[in-house]
Each structure stands twice: as C-alpha cells, then as structure tokens.
Amino acid sequence: MIRAFRGEILAVPRDPLRDGPEAIVHHADGLLLVEDGIVAACGPFADLADRVARTAVTPLAGLIVPGFVDTHVHYPQVGAIAAHGGQLLDWLDRHIFPAETAFADRAHADAAAAFFLDRLLDHGTTTALVFPTVHEGSVDALFDAALARGMRIVSGKVLMDLGPPGLRDTASGGRAESEALIARWRGRGRIGYAVTPRFALTSTDAQLEAAGALLAAHPQALLHTHLAENHAEIAAVARRFTTAADYLDVYDRFGLVGPRSVFAHCVHLGDRALGRMAQAGAGIACCPTSNLFLGSGLFDLARADSFGVGVGIGSDVGAGTTLSILGTLGELYKVCQLRGQNLDPFRALHLATAGGAAILGLADRIGGLLAGQEADFVVLDPAATPLLARRTAGRPLAERLFALQILGDDRAVAATYVAGERVAPPAGA
Ligand code: GUN
Ligand code: ZN
C-alpha cells in the first residue's frame, strides 16, 4: 500500500543544541512517501515527483511534523485533571488514589482507555509512555485500545505494595502480574512494556528488588517511575532510605538506573545524580504544566543539557493541565524564561518528537520522518484560531512554529496520521 502526501514538511530528527541548524529538516514544498505504514522517502517534491508519477498524491494544507511523543502521562487521571488544592502528596491522597481505585473495574478502564487514546490523537500525540493503575486489567484495557488504533503505546502495571487500601499489590503478586502481562503482550502491534514502580515511597524494598529483577529479565522493557518532583516527597525518601546518596541512588541500588530508564520530573536533582544519569544513559520526562500546577518547581533544562542527559516532554495529566504537547512546549518556554534560559522553537519540536523517542529507545522507529521510520505525523494549522491566523500570516517558519507552541492546542491539529492512515479527525468527521 503506497500513499503520498504533499505539503510543507518540518522535522528535527537531531538535536539542534548539538548539531546546530543542520539538525532541522524543512521542505517548503515537500513530499512524504509512505509504503505499508513506513516512510519510504521524505524530501522536496521536485526531487521526488518521478517516484509518484503513477500514484495519487494527497495535498495537505498546513505544516506537517512528526507525531508528538508524550513521555509521561497517566491515563486513569484524565478524569481527575484540574483538581483544586494541595501539592503532590496531598493531591495524590485526596484526588488521585480515589480516581485510580475505580480502575479495578475492567469496563471502567476500557471506556477510560478509549477516551484517552482518542484525545491523544486529537492532540497530535501518536506515541506515549503511560501510567495505568495497579490493576492488571487497566493495562490490558489500554493495550487493547492501542492495538485497535495502531498506536505505539508503552505501559506496564503500576507496582505499589505500600499504596493505600484498595490500591495496593504485593511484591510477589506484582511481579507475577507483570510477568503475565509481558508474556501476553510481547510482539503484539506497536505495544511496549515498562516496569512501573509508582515511586520509591509506594514500594517496599522487596518490591523495588522485584522491579530490578523484572528489568534484568526483560531486555526490551523500559523502567518508568517518578523522581525528585517535590520537596516533601524528597524529604520522605531521605528519611526512609538513610544510606542512599540521594533519591536517584535509591533506584540505582535496586538496579533501576540504566539506558532503558525514564524518570519523570527530576526538578530537584544534585550534580551527582545528573552525572550518574548521563553515565547510565537514563532519560528525563520533563513535565512543565504539572510542575507548575502542583507547585513542584522549575525544571532546569540547561543544567540537564550541560550533563548530557536525554530529555523528552511529558504532559503528566492529571497533574499536568493539558494533553497538548504544543501547549506543554509553551509552558516549558516560560519555565526556561524564569530560569534565564531561552528555548528555541526548533529544539522544542525536537524534544517533543525525536528527543522523546530517543529516551524511550525508539529513535530508530519514530520521531524524525526519516526513511525507514514509521509514518506517524501531524498536520498543524497555523491559522486554526483567529489569533493564530493573525500572528502567523506571511511570517517565517520559526515564528509560525513558535506561535503554534505558545497559542496552539488541539485546535491547531488539523489531522493526525498513524502509520500513514488518517486517524483524527476520524473518517466522515
Ligand atoms: N508521584 C507518585 N505518583 C504520582 C502521580 O500520580 N503523579 C505525579 N505527578 N507524581 C507522582
Ligand atoms: Zn506522573
């Protein structure tokens, strides 16, 4: 099956911070050729016109960019977004644990998973690393819904044997359920597994050890957890793990820090931890709307960059306040401003696509619209709202892209394509 799309194409497969303007790929009149869901070619239309002489070419108005990668989001928390009051630990107790308890019911999980994935697609997100709940069925619900949509979704049962009543597993039970899920979902569709201890405070030492064993036993699996988000959380970790050098070291002692590890937040990390993350090849899911909403702090992007730690973008809904990765980039821009740093819009797009793919170990598969990669892409409409239209009309690419990040959300996503097929808006809409 061959499909061809013609329009303005922008991708940032490499990091402009390291590689400069060479990292940016832009074709004002480009052609994206897709064969069986894979990018066969992407380049100037004039150079590729011969290859589509006998193929119907679909013109796409707007700016074609790679599908967004959300490197940290909680699907069971979508219905608890915008819950008023309290910082992290209080917010979890008051709002989040009750919402997650309902996912013991498979029908509830199925409906929530379908709603969540449809909203990701509306917002232009085609790949995500997702927290479900402690319930095994919450993972099956998400993976079934992802399979039905052809989406690249990575998730894994939340391990939390120190959770509240009704939302707690055991070290051995959590390990057995994880093993069963890994066996059940291996090699199906575009599903990936992540060993997912909620955070250090909700697992016993025995469970953290089991998580390390799972990670060691399954070389394709990621490790997904929270790290150094909030001062009260960090103090509680220090009180419990008195011999650890710092919060990261708690995870390290259980074999949870390596090139397949993704740590959400990392707002308050010392030099030792950042150096160790760089050495281990671990990645950071940066979640600016969540860090602002819960008052967690201002992520220091330049510092993570100076250590060479890989960074992706996370919406972190329900602490995050939008599923829009465009909107999340706008908030990251402002956080950088508060730290005296300047986030370039092309770098921002890189973090939201190929940068996120890299920390998920998917750099070869997605994120850059490179030949051989999966053809997940989004058509952005720089005139989606009257304000956007007024700001972007006739403006250069960098200005249009930045305006989309500051003013854009799902309204600016004209269409989302998964493996070369339009999935949002759905056919007939
Ligand atoms: N730390 C442990 N659990 C959570 C969660 O659900 N959300 C956030 N933002 N941080 C956490
Ligand atoms: Zn989170």
Side-chain angles (χ1 to χ4, degrees), residues 72-74 77 91 131 224 226 229 264-265 287 290 316-317 319:
H72 180 71
V73 57
H74 299 247
Q77 298 180 10
W91 170 83
F131 257 71
H224 183 199
H226 298 92
E229 175 177 3
H265 302 288
C287 308
S290 166
D316 195 31
V317 164

Side-chain angles (χ1 to χ4, degrees), residues 22 25 60 82 104 131 198 210 226 236 285 354 362 416:
E22 297 285 286
V25 176
L60 295 175
F131 257 71
R198 182 170 207 118
H226 298 92
L362 296 171
T416 303

Side-chain angles (χ1 to χ4, degrees), residues 103-372:
F103 283 71
D105 174 20
R106 175 65 194 261
H108 180 78
D110 283 331
F115 179 84
F116 167 72
L117 292 181
D118 287 340
R119 298 294 77 69
L120 286 193
L121 294 172
D122 290 343
H123 288 80
T125 297
T126 50
T127 293
L129 175 58
V130 185
F131 257 71
T133 64
V134 71
H135 313 97
E136 190 176 349
S138 75
V139 186
D140 288 315
L142 179 67
F143 284 167
D144 274 334
L147 206 56
R149 290 162 180 76
M151 291 173 76
R152 190 165 272 295
I153 294 292
V154 185
S155 188
K157 188 202 111 69
V158 179
L159 302 168
M160 46 190 299
D161 63 342
L162 292 177
L167 204 63
R168 179 192 290 166
D169 58 1
T170 62
S172 61
R175 181 172 178 175
E177 289 183 353
S178 303
E179 288 284 8
L181 282 162
I182 292 168
R184 187 147 71 244
W185 286 99
R186 181 178 291 128
R188 292 177 66 187
R190 302 169 76 194
I191 302 298
Y193 200 84
V195 176
T196 308
R198 182 170 207 118
F199 66 157
L201 296 178
T202 39
S203 287
T204 60
D205 286 20
Q207 184 163 69
L208 293 170
E209 208 167 287
L214 280 166
L215 198 63
H218 299 285
Q220 305 301 322
L222 302 189
L223 181 283
H224 183 199
T225 191
H226 298 92
L227 172 63
E229 175 177 3
N230 162 284
H231 287 301
E233 169 212 14
I234 294 164
V237 170
R239 280 195 301 275
R240 174 167 151 206
F241 300 95
T242 52
T243 61
D246 50 39
Y247 195 162
L248 180 78
D249 193 41
V250 172
Y251 293 134
D252 217 351
R253 288 171 180 216
F254 293 102
L256 300 176
V257 180
R260 292 179 281 139
S261 306
V262 178
F263 295 103
H265 302 288
C266 301
V267 178
H268 311 285
L269 283 183
D271 287 357
R272 193 213 71 84
L274 281 167
R276 170 64 187 136
M277 287 182 75
Q279 175 204 41
I284 295 174
C286 166
C287 308
T289 76
S290 166
N291 296 337
L292 293 169
F293 180 74
L294 290 179
S296 300
L298 304 176
F299 180 72
D300 192 336
L301 179 59
R303 191 149 161 270
D305 289 337
S306 74
F307 279 87
V309 182
V311 175
I313 302 298
S315 69
D316 195 31
V317 164
T321 52
T322 178
L323 285 170
S324 170
I325 294 298
L326 285 176
T328 306
L329 293 177
E331 295 307 286
L332 180 58
Y333 176 83
K334 297 173 199 169
V335 168
C336 288
Q337 285 282 47
L338 285 165
R339 286 201 171 271
Q341 300 166 16
N342 197 265
L343 179 61
D344 171 81
F346 295 100
R347 172 122 208 274
L349 181 62
H350 168 78
L351 296 178
T353 54
I359 72 163
L360 304 189
L362 296 171
D364 54 337
R365 306 273 187 98
I366 55 163
L369 295 181
L370 300 171

